[in-house]
Amino acid sequence: MKLAQNTPKWLLILAPIALLIAVAGGIGSRWWNGIVAPPTTDPNAKSIQIQVKPGTSAQAIGKELEAKGAIKSQLAWKLWTSWQGKQGKSPQSGIYEVSPSQPLPVVAAQILEGKVVQSGFTIREGWNIKQMGKYFEEQGLFKAADFIAATKEIPKDKFSWLPDGIPHLEGFLFPETYKVPSDSITPKGVVTQMLNQFEQVALPEYQKVAASQKLSLLQWVSLSSVVEKEAVIPIERPKIAGVFTTRLAKNMRLESDPTVEYGLGIKQTADRPLTFAQVKRPNPYNTYMNAGIPPGPIASPGIGSLKAVLDPDSTDLLFFVAKYDGTHVFSKTLSEHVAATQLIRQQRQSGKK
């Protein structure tokens, strides 16, 4: 189409310039979209992991991302993160998992907003520190020895409620399934997580009744740990706690097998029960030899056992013996207890024939 003859001269001059800008803008847009596009369109492309340490520059991150194939262009990364920096966003430290099928702005958002990889670990009720250390090592997270060493450091500065004079954190590492940033999966990091959980979940239960309790915090956790190791069926926890409470009130020894096992560092089985010699071997945790509650927990009790000790059944039962289905036979007298024990052993032997 021809321009009218009376078209102003200024328009004749600006028209080509405007056309050039429009063309250049289209080319620029396509160029930009090309370099921020995903390196691959395959949605099943293998994810790439990158660790951003504190103080790492955006430029260094971009260089690593390009080298690993997570982005197409360091230049585009630099331009994008520079613009984001003016919006107050900067790289956050942590471990990230990015996909080469994601466009650069999405990859950048993960790192600028601190969307770190979440890892998990599960501590079971009734585990002791050694069992936890073995678990962490088997998971490939860190060595058992490093975890055990971390549990011997008592962080009273952060957790002032921890009892004075304890040699390690046995019993206070709350059993739970945890989801935490990958860079927090260190011996000290997981110890802190578990102490925080104890503080949030278990400690309030004790504080609600502390004024009326005859048990100190350490005694409460210690007795709860014995209940945890004895109880298999949750419904029996208050009953077992009631037996122990009654025995303590009568100045009777607790006579709990798990305390002997803990003190000796052994584990009995149905086919290899504790021997008389082992039961009579002195150690601070042996409640056959020592009166009262053990000097410290023998495992990490769950909230069920902790609550059971605070509110045990009122009972005149004094004995219980484990059956082979997880339940127990409870008795009032020693003669009843001995008879129940013999019957269970006979049933076990006849069942093996």
Side-chain angles (χ1 to χ4, degrees):
M1 182 178 68
K2 294 182 179 180
L3 292 173
Q5 291 185 356
N6 61 349
T7 301
K9 289 184 178 180
W10 62 268
L11 184 57
L12 293 173
I13 296 171
L14 291 179
I17 296 174
L19 179 61
L20 181 61
I21 292 173
V23 172
I27 295 172
S29 176
R30 288 195 298 273
W31 171 80
W32 174 253
N33 289 335
I35 63 175
V36 300
T40 177
T41 57
D42 180 6
N44 299 315
K46 188 176 181 180
S47 295
I48 296 166
Q49 197 168 90
I50 178 174
Q51 181 174 11
V52 177
K53 296 181 179 179
T56 304
S57 67
Q59 184 177 353
I61 297 169
K63 184 177 181 180
E64 183 176 354
L65 287 170
E66 185 184 54
K68 289 186 173 182
I71 61 174
K72 283 185 176 181
S73 167
Q74 285 187 62
L75 175 58
W77 173 269
K78 182 178 180 180
L79 292 172
W80 184 262
T81 54
S82 177
W83 178 69
Q84 291 288 295
K86 292 177 181 178
Q87 315 303 313
K89 297 180 180 179
S90 59
Q92 306 296 307
S93 62
I95 296 175
Y96 298 89
E97 196 165 82
V98 298
S99 171
S101 65
Q102 295 172 320
L104 182 147
V106 174
V107 173
Q110 286 184 245
I111 298 173
L112 296 175
E113 296 173 13
K115 296 178 180 178
V116 297
V117 173
Q118 295 286 312
S119 295
F121 63 92
T122 299
I123 300 301
R124 297 188 181 280
E125 295 177 349
W127 275 4
N128 59 38
I129 286 173
K130 287 184 178 179
Q131 289 173 303
M132 294 178 199
K134 181 182 178 182
Y135 164 78
F136 285 124
E137 186 165 305
E138 288 176 345
Q139 294 296 307
L141 298 172
F142 41 75
K143 292 182 179 178
D146 293 338
F147 173 75
I148 292 172
T151 65
K152 293 179 181 178
E153 298 178 18
I154 314 300
K156 289 277 289 184
D157 55 330
K158 294 181 180 179
F159 304 99
S160 58
W161 48 265
L162 283 168
D164 293 328
I166 55 176
H168 42 63
L169 296 168
E170 189 78 272
F172 297 97
L173 304 174
F174 197 77
E176 185 63 272
T177 294
Y178 294 86
K179 289 289 185 181
V180 296
S182 293
D183 56 352
S184 294
I185 302 291
T186 64
K188 287 187 178 181
V190 299
V191 164
T192 299
Q193 289 284 337
M194 289 188 277
L195 288 175
N196 275 326
Q197 192 71 359
F198 185 97
E199 183 176 73
Q200 294 172 20
V201 177
L203 190 59
E205 296 295 328
Y206 179 77
Q207 291 172 331
K208 283 190 288 190
V209 296
S212 61
Q213 273 295 310
K214 295 180 180 180
L215 301 175
S216 68
L217 177 65
L218 180 61
Q219 289 175 324
W220 171 53
V221 179
S222 298
L223 184 55
S224 297
S225 72
V226 180
V227 172
E228 185 66 57
K229 295 299 291 184
E230 291 281 14
V232 177
I233 307 302
I235 198 172
E236 287 191 350
R237 286 171 180 156
K239 198 170 186 178
I240 291 173
V243 170
F244 286 145
T245 301
T246 302
R247 290 180 72 91
L248 289 170
K250 293 179 175 291
N251 292 317
M252 297 174 66
R253 294 184 176 90
L254 295 182
E255 298 184 350
S256 169
D257 286 3
T259 64
V260 177
E261 295 175 59
Y262 184 82
L264 297 179
I266 61 175
K267 174 67 177 176
Q268 69 170 327
T269 65
D271 295 321
R272 297 186 65 181
L274 290 175
T275 66
F276 182 78
Q278 289 170 330
V279 169
K280 290 298 182 180
R281 190 179 304 171
N283 76 71
Y285 290 89
N286 186 336
T287 54
Y288 282 91
M289 301 292 291
N290 306 310
I293 298 170
I298 62 173
S300 283
I303 194 65
S305 295
L306 289 163
K307 286 183 175 181
V309 170
L310 293 177
D311 188 24
D313 284 355
S314 179
T315 182
D316 55 358
L317 295 168
L318 294 172
F319 305 90
F320 58 86
V321 58
K323 296 169 68 177
Y324 296 102
D325 60 359
T327 63
H328 294 80
V329 175
F330 293 83
S331 305
K332 294 181 180 180
T333 67
L334 180 59
S335 59
E336 290 175 351
H337 174 64
V338 170
T341 301
Q342 291 175 342
L343 177 60
I344 290 171
R345 287 179 178 171
Q346 289 171 2
Q347 291 172 340
R348 166 98 180 148
Q349 290 300 320
S350 62
K352 291 173 64 178
K353 292 179 181 178

